[in-house]
């Protein structure tokens, strides 16, 4: 069995069509949830929801966690291959250059835009400006109302924290797994700490939803609460490396390849259960109680595995999956999905005329819920964010990705020269 190429190598233009399409749908679903909240469709504490429509939309919050699964899979796979297959470990500086140039330029552009357009009249000192630029706005308590337009960017510091921690975690896992004699045993050893990750994520979820923590505490947005999703992705990366080392097809791969649509059917069932919100109120965005949060987290974990497995497991042949994911509109939407995700809240604030550019400090989104109809706001946000995200992709993200490839290539060329020129010590 040849090595399963989840992402084609080469340059920033080399893409995985199915993953791009999936990213597009996930991002679209997240935006629909946020627009429905701003439009007052989804209920919030003293603003109840009405009918089945908010129930179905609120259930789409299951679509965010798979992004963390993708990160765990794609970023850990080279480290897993180094441990199980014996390939060279990723070079640390090159790895960090690639990750930071991928995520920070577009984010900084959005952060500056939000500060200037929406939050300028709220600036009360240097730290107010530096906090989001340094990715500290969800780690160090800041303004009580938060930063208008930057609400969804809690995922950026969470992702960067994972980027920084991954080489250390991979080294620790490698030290433990290399004591095993064969690839299968190494793979099994690598899976052990991932089970701990899942338990830690569940425990953190329970902790951050205690009544004493209050609603929406900063700690909820820390990456530790999402380690379960990262662990699922890392587990898929381990299976990929094991399949390459043994030149065999793991049983899980065979199951997915035989019944890929059954996995998606299972994901649809989980989505319906999530709409019902066990232990909670359907159609409401109130901060969950501990039982509700734990049930929701388990559903999220199951959904993420079921929705992603048929997309990343090699040898899955499905005309339905290809038709759904690899059509050009969704592939393009997936390609620009990072920018769409970053910008869509700013577009909401601007359309609702809520922010410094309109002459007053912004007020929290719940205070302007319902000022615009759902379909009107959705049309504005989609058209606006697609336009802005497309410009961001071609003028900011793509040049940054090309720069990272050049920098990493130069480092790779320079390493042999430095090794050859270094003085040899007599033995």
């Amino acid at each position: 069995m040849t090595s399963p190429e989840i992402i084609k190598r080469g340059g920033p233009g080399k893409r995985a069509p199915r993953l791009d399409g999936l990213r597009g749908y996930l991002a679209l679903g997240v935006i629909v949830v946020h627009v429905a909240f701003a439009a007052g469709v989804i209920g919030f504490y003293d603003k109840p929801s009405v009918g089945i429509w908010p129930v179905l939309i609120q259930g789409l919050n299951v679509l965010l966690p798979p992004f963390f699964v993708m990160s765990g899979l794609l970023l850990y796979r080279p480290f897993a291959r180094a441990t199980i297959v014996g390939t060279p470990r990723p070079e640390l500086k090159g790895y960090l250059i690639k990750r930071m140039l991928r995520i920070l330029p577009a984010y900084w552009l959005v952060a500056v835009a939000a500060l200037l357009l929406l939050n300028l009249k709220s600036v009360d000192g240097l730290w107010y400006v530096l906090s989001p630029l340094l990715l500290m706005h969800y780690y160090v308590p800041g303004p009580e109302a938060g930063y208008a337009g930057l609400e969804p960017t809690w995922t950026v510091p969470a992702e960067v924290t994972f980027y920084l921690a991954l080489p250390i975690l991979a080294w620790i896992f490698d030290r433990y797994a290399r004591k095993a004699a064969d690839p299968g045993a190494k793979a099994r050893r690598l899976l052990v700490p991932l089970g701990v990750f899942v338990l830690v994520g569940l425990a953190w979820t329970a902790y951050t939803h205690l009544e004493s923590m209050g609603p929406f505490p900063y700690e909820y947005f820390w990456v530790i609460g999402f380690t379960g999703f990262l662990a699922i992705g890392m587990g898929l990366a381990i299976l990929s490396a094991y399949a390459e080392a043994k030149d065999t097809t793991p049983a899980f791969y065979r199951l997915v390849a035989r019944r890929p649509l059954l996995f998606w059917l299972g994901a649809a069932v989980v989505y319906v259960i999530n709409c019902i919100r066990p232990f909670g109120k359907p159609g409401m965005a109130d901060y969950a109680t501990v039982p509700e949060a734990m049930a929701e987290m388990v559903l999220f974990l199951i959904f993420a595995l079921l929705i992603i497995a048929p997309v990343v497991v090699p040898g899955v042949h499905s005309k339905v999956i290809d038709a759904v994911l690899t059509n050009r509109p969704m592939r393009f939407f997936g390609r620009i999905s990072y920018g769409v995700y970053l910008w869509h809240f700013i577009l909401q604030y601007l359309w609702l005329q809520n922010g410094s550019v309109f002459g007053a400090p912004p007020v929290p989104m719940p205070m302007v819920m319902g000022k615009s109809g759902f379909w009107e706001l959705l049309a504005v946000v989609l058209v606006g964010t697609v336009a802005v995200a497309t410009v961001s992709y071609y003028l900011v993200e793509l040049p940054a990705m090309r720069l990272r490839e050049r920098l990493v290539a130069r480092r790779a060329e320079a390493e042999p020269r430095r090794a050859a020129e270094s003085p040899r010590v007599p033995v």
Side-chain angles (χ1 to χ4, degrees), residues 231-312:
I232 290 175
M234 294 168 74
L236 291 172
I238 292 168
L239 280 181
S240 174
Y242 169 72
E244 180 179 347
K246 294 291 288 184
D247 195 27
T248 187
T249 304
F252 179 73
Y253 277 14
R254 295 196 297 270
L255 176 61
V256 176
R258 283 198 304 267
R259 295 287 186 270
L261 295 183
L262 188 62
F263 277 72
W264 274 16
L265 177 61
V269 171
V270 173
Y271 158 71
V272 172
I273 298 174
N274 187 56
C275 289
I276 299 171
R277 297 197 76 181
F279 308 105
K281 300 176 182 178
M284 299 291 292
D286 301 356
Y287 195 62
T289 62
V290 172
E292 181 185 355
M294 295 297 285
E296 186 177 68
M297 184 61 70
V298 171
L299 291 173
F300 284 1
L301 290 166
I302 297 171
F303 178 88
L305 177 61
L306 293 176
I307 200 71
I308 285 183
V311 180
V312 300

Side-chain angles (χ1 to χ4, degrees), residues 13-89:
K14 300 295 183 180
R15 312 288 303 191
R18 285 183 174 180
L19 271 183
D20 273 343
L22 181 59
R23 285 190 187 97
Y25 283 105
L26 296 176
L28 180 60
V30 171
I31 290 170
V32 168
V33 172
H34 289 163
V35 168
F37 178 79
V41 174
I42 295 174
F44 189 66
Y45 288 102
D46 59 343
K47 298 179 180 179
S49 62
V50 179
I52 190 63
W53 186 231
V55 174
L56 297 176
I57 295 181
Q58 176 62 16
L60 292 175
N61 63 353
V62 77
L63 296 178
L64 180 62
F67 282 110
F68 288 101
V69 177
M70 292 184 198
S71 292
L73 165 62
L74 299 175
L75 299 184
Y76 183 59
R77 185 170 180 265
F79 294 98
R81 292 180 71 243
T83 299
I84 297 173
V85 182
T87 55
R89 290 174 58 83

Side-chain angles (χ1 to χ4, degrees), residues 184-257:
K186 290 178 181 178
R188 287 190 293 272
R189 282 190 169 230
L190 287 177
L191 290 172
V192 171
L194 300 186
V196 177
F197 272 26
V198 174
L199 295 177
V200 167
L202 289 170
W204 192 258
T205 296
Y207 167 68
T208 55
H209 287 81
L210 293 173
E211 187 175 352
S212 59
M213 296 293 290
F216 305 102
Y218 272 68
E219 293 85 353
Y220 168 76
F221 300 99
W222 295 0
V223 70
I224 190 171
F226 304 89
T227 52
F229 307 118
L230 296 167
I232 290 175
M234 294 168 74
L236 291 172
I238 292 168
L239 280 181
S240 174
Y242 169 72
E244 180 179 347
K246 294 291 288 184
D247 195 27
T248 187
T249 304
F252 179 73
Y253 277 14
R254 295 196 297 270
L255 176 61
V256 176

Side-chain angles (χ1 to χ4, degrees), residues 96-114 132-135 150 153 156 160 163 338-339 342-343 346 388-389 391-405 407:
L96 292 176
I97 289 172
K98 292 176 71 173
R99 297 322 312 153
M100 297 311 165
L101 281 177
R102 178 63 189 101
I103 199 169
L104 290 179
Y107 165 74
W108 278 332
L109 178 62
V110 169
V112 170
L133 297 178
L134 296 176
L135 304 179
L150 295 182
T153 64
V156 179
V160 170
Y163 297 163
Y338 180 49
L342 290 176
W343 283 99
I346 293 180
V388 177
V391 173
S392 171
Y393 180 78
Y394 285 106
L395 296 186
V396 179
E397 297 173 58
L398 195 56
M401 286 188 279
R402 288 170 176 162
L403 174 61
R404 73 178 184 177
E405 298 302 325
L407 293 176

Side-chain angles (χ1 to χ4, degrees), residues 127-147:
W127 180 246
Y128 187 97
V129 176
L130 291 180
S131 181
L133 297 178
L134 296 176
L135 304 179
M136 298 301 294
H137 56 306
Y138 275 99
Y139 283 112
V140 178
E144 183 177 349
Y147 290 86

